[in-house]
Amino acid sequence: MHHVYLPMPSLPRILTVDPTWAVARIVRGTLDLMDRPAIQLDVPNGAEALEELKRGGVRLVVTAWNLASDMQGLELALRVKQASADTQVVVVGAPEDPESLDEETTAESPFIYIHRPLDGQLFVRVMRAGLKGESVFEAVKPPASDAPTVLDYGPIPPLDVGAARNVIKRMLMDVGAMALILITRSGDVLLEDGAPGYLNRDKLTGAIMPMVTANVEMSGLIGGQPQAIQFYDGDDKDVFVFSVGYHHFLCAVFDGQAGGRQFGVVNRYGRQAVTDLLGLLAGQAYVIKKPTVVAMRMTSEIPVRGKRRGSGLTTTSTFMTLQPADLEKTPSSPSFAATPAVPVALRPDAPAAESAPAKMEPIQNLDMSIFDQLGSLDSAAADDLFDMDNLAGMLGNASGRKDVTFEEAMELGVLPNLDNDTKK
């Protein structure tokens, strides 16, 4: 029997360079936190680091900025990259070292610089990339999940800007604000009245964007059509933000020393202005229209793989969904050149079946001569039907009971047929 021994995968090697051994402790603690096995080598200066680098297999070098020797961390990082281009290098600065490097040095450096105290999440990402042999420059960038998610709430309902301007001017006079700004949820400024440029509109629109999602989510939580007001009390400026449905926001800007004292007045007249603006939106303020999805059948000149059974080839039709923006592409565009789109034939709805007219059964043996006596009837007698005295007398005489004979009871089935039972 022959035994085959497979070589064990080599562990990644990390080289730390620091005469105070502080970097070595940081790296060792990070490895413990990551629960990632690795071989860590610790040396005090650049000369020993380059000697260790010659043995090969070093994936990551973490060096201090100040090495207290003839070769500082910046020079060591450059020499490491010259000797081993695949080795990732991280330079760690102490609290007394520069907080950051200038843009030109950062752009041209083949290493990354991190200042202490360290950002724990950032350093873990850098260590993980270095152990895997990946680029530490990509690890410095924030992960994609940190970027805010922009939800699509459909088109913004139109607003009569002329009528809205009258509402804004009236509120400006009532509250005495420095400026009033009407903004859509997409960041477009529809109206601005008061001191122009009193507040940076671009930063303002970016700051209130999270309110869009908050209003929609709160609507499902509290029910109905929510209205929100937020007050930001600052040293230089005070800002009130009113939500106008889901799609518009009204901002009132005051001087930093006056806004807090005007809270009651702004709340009163601001809500009145919001109500007027909601009326201009004609019921569309709280409507969210999702983009229409159109079903399209795609055909392709590329043969579809299938199983050949007998003399035929079994294939599967492919369907996909396209947004309205995709439908604007012409068949000559590159993405549609090989797969021209053919709309699916829509079958019109079948008309609802009309109900058959109701038919009454004819009255058997109807004597039409009874209608000949209508002319001899006294029309005054019809008024007696609505005489309250006559109705009271009729109700008083009626006992609600009716005497039934034995014969009628037997015919109705209330009593058994005594005659038949006797005969039997």
Side-chain angles (χ1 to χ4, degrees):
M1 179 180 294
H2 298 280
H3 296 278
V4 178
Y5 296 94
L6 298 177
M8 296 183 61
S10 59
L11 295 177
R13 294 161 60 89
I14 301 177
L15 180 62
T16 68
V17 188
D18 184 9
T20 65
W21 312 107
V23 173
R25 292 190 296 269
I26 293 174
V27 171
R28 187 173 294 106
T30 305
L31 289 176
D32 293 339
L33 179 64
M34 296 170 57
D35 194 18
R36 179 71 181 267
I39 299 176
Q40 179 176 336
L41 304 173
D42 306 321
V43 295
N45 54 59
E48 294 187 29
L50 293 177
E51 288 295 327
E52 190 65 40
L53 190 67
K54 294 179 181 179
R55 297 184 174 91
V58 177
R59 292 189 184 179
L60 178 64
V61 173
V62 183
T63 177
W65 172 268
N66 184 10
L67 298 181
S69 61
D70 295 338
M71 185 188 305
Q72 295 299 316
L74 178 61
E75 180 184 355
L76 174 62
L78 297 176
R79 296 182 64 174
V80 167
K81 294 300 293 185
Q82 291 176 353
S84 177
D86 295 334
T87 302
Q88 304 293 319
V89 182
V90 178
V91 179
V92 178
E96 63 274 10
D97 295 331
E99 293 186 3
S100 61
L101 305 180
D102 57 85
E103 296 182 1
E104 183 178 357
T105 303
T106 302
E108 298 179 356
S109 297
F111 59 87
I112 62 171
Y113 179 77
I114 303 179
H115 187 259
R116 291 165 51 194
L118 300 177
D119 182 344
Q121 295 183 356
L122 170 63
F123 195 70
V124 167
R125 293 201 306 267
V126 170
M127 288 283 294
R128 182 179 292 111
L131 292 174
K132 293 182 178 180
E134 300 174 353
S135 173
V136 293
F137 296 95
E138 296 296 328
V140 174
K141 300 178 182 178
S145 58
D146 293 346
T149 302
V150 180
L151 300 178
D152 187 3
Y153 294 119
I156 298 175
L159 178 65
D160 186 348
V161 179
R165 181 175 288 106
N166 296 331
V167 176
I168 299 300
K169 286 185 175 295
R170 184 167 59 250
M171 178 180 172
L172 185 65
M173 296 176 59
D174 291 335
V175 302
M178 296 297 297
L180 288 180
I181 306 174
L182 183 61
I183 307 173
T184 67
R185 62 172 170 79
S186 62
D188 297 327
V189 178
L190 297 182
L191 289 172
E192 182 179 11
D193 204 345
Y198 188 70
L199 189 67
N200 190 311
R201 300 187 306 179
D202 295 335
K203 292 184 177 181
L204 174 63
T205 55
I208 67 176
M209 284 304 102
M211 289 183 62
V212 179
T213 303
N215 289 345
V216 176
E217 296 296 333
M218 287 298 296
S219 175
L221 181 63
I222 65 177
Q225 299 175 346
Q227 295 185 14
I229 174 175
Q230 292 196 14
F231 173 54
Y232 300 92
D233 187 5
D235 294 335
D236 299 330
K237 299 177 181 64
D238 295 338
V239 180
F240 294 83
V241 181
F242 294 85
S243 65
V244 186
Y246 292 145
H247 309 282
H248 298 83
F249 296 91
L250 178 60
C251 304
V253 187
F254 290 82
D255 182 77
Q257 306 301 323
R261 298 192 300 268
Q262 301 294 329
F263 190 92
V265 176
V266 176
N267 183 43
R268 174 187 175 186
Y269 291 103
R271 291 184 179 274
Q272 180 178 343
V274 169
T275 302
D276 296 339
L277 294 174
L278 290 175
L280 296 178
L281 291 169
Q284 300 296 314
Y286 293 95
V287 175
I288 296 178
K289 296 180 179 180
K290 296 296 183 180
T292 304
V293 178
V294 182
M296 299 292 293
R297 181 170 182 172
M298 308 299 295
T299 61
S300 175
E301 299 176 357
I302 302 176
V304 181
R305 293 184 300 173
K307 296 181 179 179
R308 187 176 299 274
R309 297 179 180 176
S311 59
L313 180 65
T314 303
T315 60
T316 303
S317 300
T318 303
F319 290 85
M320 67 180 298
T321 57
L322 299 177
Q323 300 294 338
D326 297 328
L327 300 179
E328 300 178 358
K329 298 180 181 179
T330 61
S332 59
S333 61
S335 59
F336 277 70
T339 58
V342 179
V344 175
L346 302 178
R347 179 180 298 174
D349 297 335
E354 298 182 359
S355 58
K359 295 182 179 180
M360 302 297 293
E361 295 295 333
I363 301 176
Q364 301 294 334
N365 302 323
L366 177 61
D367 186 4
M368 302 298 294
S369 62
I370 61 176
F371 297 103
D372 297 337
Q373 302 176 7
L374 294 177
S376 61
L377 296 177
D378 185 5
S379 60
D383 297 335
D384 295 339
L385 295 175
F386 303 96
D387 191 341
M388 300 304 296
D389 295 335
N390 293 338
L391 292 175
M394 295 170 62
L395 293 175
N397 296 329
S399 62
R401 296 182 56 186
K402 180 180 180 181
D403 296 332
V404 182
T405 63
F406 281 100
E407 290 79 4
E408 291 174 339
M410 287 186 291
E411 292 177 359
L412 294 174
V414 177
L415 294 176
N417 193 334
L418 300 178
D419 294 338
N420 294 339
D421 294 342
T422 304
K423 294 177 181 180
K424 294 180 180 179

